[in-house]
Each structure stands twice: as structure tokens, then as C-alpha cells.
Amino acid sequence: MANVSHGRSDISSHPDVSEMRERYARMLGGRDVALVDGPVFLLGLYCAASPWILHYTASQPALVTHNLIMGIAIGLLALGFTRAPERMYGLSWAMCALGIWMIIAPWVVGTSPDKGVIINNVIIGALALCLGLVCAASAARRTPMT
């Protein structure tokens, strides 16, 4: 039987080594905040489901629709961050804007919201703002200064 194993364990002599290293660097280059994508998606799911979780569907029907739409928007941003990070991390500031809007929405959209609804939206908004700032900081760090 012939010995088909190579004596060397590295690929430095491979003819396509520079191209492979470049592709690997490109692939990993956009994944600085991959750990943020999951929490952003979960935050969007919770935001969409929160009216039913906290049982304010009858008392605040406008906020039910609002939180459902905002949760879907946050979830879609998270999916975009995952699928096309090089394109979507520029929209991290939109995530920050959604977070600020979620904080003030109970008073703008709702009609005399109770304490539980206010706390719920403030926590969702603060988390969205913080996660958006993390994504925006990562995008700013990767963008070359001209």
C-alpha cells in the first residue's frame, strides 16, 4: 500500500493559499458582533408577544398593534444583521431609534398606560438601544477612516 500522507501539516505551499486566507478573512470580517444577533432577534420576538404575555390586549389595543409591528421590525433587523452583516450594520442606528421610540411609545401611542406596560416598554427600549449601540460601535470600528 502506498503512503499517501504528506509529511508537512501546513498548507503554506498550496498554490491558492493567499486566496484561501483572503476569503477566510472576508468571511470572518463581518462577524464582529455575531453574539448580538441572537439577543436582538429574541428581543424582537418578546416585543411582538409582550401584549399577550403581560395581558394588556384589552386595555391598550393601540399598544398591542404597536408592539407587534415594532417586534417584527426588530426581528427583521436581527435577521438582516445575520444574513448580510456588511450591509446591515449601517442600520444599527435605526435599532437605536427604535429603542428610543419604544421608551416613549406608551405615552404617545397608549391611553393612560399602567405601570407594567410602561416598565415593559422602557426595558425593551433600553435593551434595543444598548444592542443597537453595540452594533453601531462595531460598524464604526470596521469602517475605514478617510
Side-chain angles (χ1 to χ4, degrees), residues 88-109:
M88 291 295 292
Y89 280 131
L91 290 176
S92 301
W93 294 108
M95 183 77 175
C96 297
L98 291 176
I100 292 169
W101 174 249
M102 284 297 295
I103 292 171
I104 63 172
W107 296 282
V108 177
V109 177

Side-chain angles (χ1 to χ4, degrees), residues 50-69:
S50 65
W52 293 275
I53 293 171
L54 297 178
H55 304 290
Y56 62 88
T57 54
S59 64
Q60 297 289 331
L63 273 175
V64 171
T65 306
H66 172 269
N67 279 17
L68 179 64
I69 292 170

Side-chain angles (χ1 to χ4, degrees), residues 5-20:
S5 65
H6 300 287
R8 297 179 58 182
S9 61
D10 61 4
I11 63 166
S12 60
S13 63
H14 193 279
D16 296 329
V17 70
S18 61
E19 180 185 348
M20 288 188 296

Side-chain angles (χ1 to χ4, degrees), residues 57-137:
T57 54
S59 64
Q60 297 289 331
L63 273 175
V64 171
T65 306
H66 172 269
N67 279 17
L68 179 64
I69 292 170
M70 293 296 289
I72 291 170
I74 292 170
L76 288 175
L77 274 175
L79 290 175
F81 292 160
T82 302
R83 295 286 298 156
E86 63 279 347
R87 294 181 192 166
M88 291 295 292
Y89 280 131
L91 290 176
S92 301
W93 294 108
M95 183 77 175
C96 297
L98 291 176
I100 292 169
W101 174 249
M102 284 297 295
I103 292 171
I104 63 172
W107 296 282
V108 177
V109 177
T111 53
S112 63
D114 63 350
K115 189 177 182 179
V117 172
I118 293 171
I119 290 172
N120 179 59
N121 274 29
V122 167
I123 290 173
I124 291 171
L127 287 172
L129 179 62
C130 291
L131 292 170
L133 287 173
V134 169
C135 291

Side-chain angles (χ1 to χ4, degrees), residues 30-39 81-82 89 138:
R31 304 308 300 151
D32 291 350
V33 289
L35 295 177
V36 176
D37 300 348
F81 292 160
T82 302
Y89 280 131
S138 174

